[in-house]
Amino acid sequence: QRDELLLGHARSAIIAGDYAVGEQELAQLASRRNALAPALAIAMEESRAELLRETGKQKEAVAALRGLLPKARQQLGEDAQRTLGLQLQLASALQLDGDYAGALEVVSDAAERHQRVLGAKHPQTLYAWNQLGIVENKLGHDEAAEAAFRRAANGRHSVLGDGHPATVMSQFNLGSFLIEHGRAAEGVPLVRSASGWLDANRPEGDDKVLVARSVLAYGLEDQGDLDGAERLLRGLLAAQE
């Protein structure tokens, strides 16, 4: 129980951005690695990979997750929820490292596994489809990207509801994709809705707030609403001063 509490504290520190504390506590656990239960040892290594990812060490995170995934499959089972989650983390690390082809291979398999094991409406399955959309879009696979984004957005709307942060981000991803591909009439309402939610729920100057306003301005300009686009862009410039 002490080790589980220590791991929980380390995770909380990483989430809070207190990376030095998280690293120190994970090192304490690693010194007793042989005495840890298999599931706890895997959870510890997962947190270590998360720390690497959060501190910008993407290649090291990829290597750590590539090494950890076979252990999880062997000790926890291929279809265990933690094993499936590790596969998504590997895809995310590959994406952040710029290896989109590698990320596509991993996240495609992960999405299908999640669908089969957890079901189409499980939040982790919907997360997998959203990640697949991001990677497909990066690779220029327009039809596949839109299909994955729609699957995630519609599923999250149905399961989590309009006001859930995950639903909002899926709507934003789909809307941004549509605007980017010359379909502002479809994309602007989605991005406007997401931007409004972010304005109400995130602090002024937050990166996601600013990005949503920028995308919305681009969509409004594409629709010919130059006054609306100008107001948003002036606000963005003022926020950065």
Side-chain angles (χ1 to χ4, degrees):
Q1 188 177 6
R2 177 176 176 274
D3 289 335
E4 291 174 358
L5 290 172
L6 186 60
L7 177 59
H9 194 271
R11 283 176 167 168
S12 297
I14 293 168
I15 292 170
D18 195 347
Y19 302 130
V21 170
E23 185 169 14
Q24 182 180 25
E25 292 176 337
L26 288 176
Q28 290 181 43
L29 281 170
S31 69
R32 299 195 297 279
R33 184 189 308 270
N34 292 337
L36 299 178
L40 188 60
I42 287 171
M44 177 197 68
E45 293 186 46
E46 179 184 1
S47 295
R48 177 65 180 167
E50 181 182 359
L51 176 62
L52 291 169
R53 210 168 60 244
E54 290 294 324
T55 52
K57 300 173 182 176
Q58 302 305 333
K59 291 188 185 303
E60 293 178 50
V62 168
L65 288 164
R66 283 197 186 281
L68 181 56
L69 191 53
K71 294 180 187 176
R73 284 175 171 160
Q74 180 180 23
Q75 296 179 20
L76 305 180
E78 287 201 3
D79 293 339
Q81 191 166 341
R82 183 175 292 278
T83 304
L84 296 174
L86 285 169
Q87 196 173 10
L88 287 177
Q89 289 187 47
L90 175 58
S92 178
L94 287 164
Q95 176 193 332
L96 290 171
D97 194 39
D99 184 358
Y100 299 119
L104 179 61
E105 181 181 357
V106 175
V107 76
S108 297
D109 181 65
E112 295 296 340
R113 285 178 184 267
H114 277 77
Q115 179 95 1
R116 174 174 55 81
V117 176
L118 300 179
K121 293 189 175 182
H122 192 281
Q124 197 165 301
T125 303
L126 298 172
Y127 175 83
W129 288 115
N130 187 67
Q131 291 303 107
L132 178 59
I134 291 171
V135 175
E136 296 279 23
N137 191 34
K138 289 286 187 182
L139 290 168
H141 303 163
D142 293 348
E143 289 186 10
E146 182 177 351
F149 279 143
R150 285 193 183 279
R151 196 165 188 168
N154 292 339
R156 283 173 162 175
H157 173 79
S158 173
V159 175
L160 303 174
D162 277 336
H164 193 281
T167 304
V168 171
M169 294 317 300
S170 275
Q171 289 175 336
F172 175 73
N173 287 339
L174 176 58
S176 299
F177 172 87
L178 293 169
I179 290 172
E180 179 185 344
H181 289 79
R183 295 157 65 186
E186 297 176 77
V188 163
L190 292 169
V191 173
R192 192 192 299 277
S193 175
S195 182
W197 187 94
L198 290 166
D199 285 344
N201 291 278
R202 306 281 292 198
E204 186 65 31
D206 179 85
D207 286 347
K208 289 182 178 179
V209 170
L210 299 179
V211 168
R213 290 178 187 171
S214 177
V215 173
L216 180 56
Y218 178 74
L220 290 173
E221 182 182 5
D222 198 43
Q223 284 188 306
D225 183 358
L226 300 183
D227 290 340
E230 183 179 2
R231 282 194 300 271
L232 280 170
L233 291 172
R234 287 186 182 279
L236 286 169
L237 290 172
Q240 294 173 8
E241 289 178 354

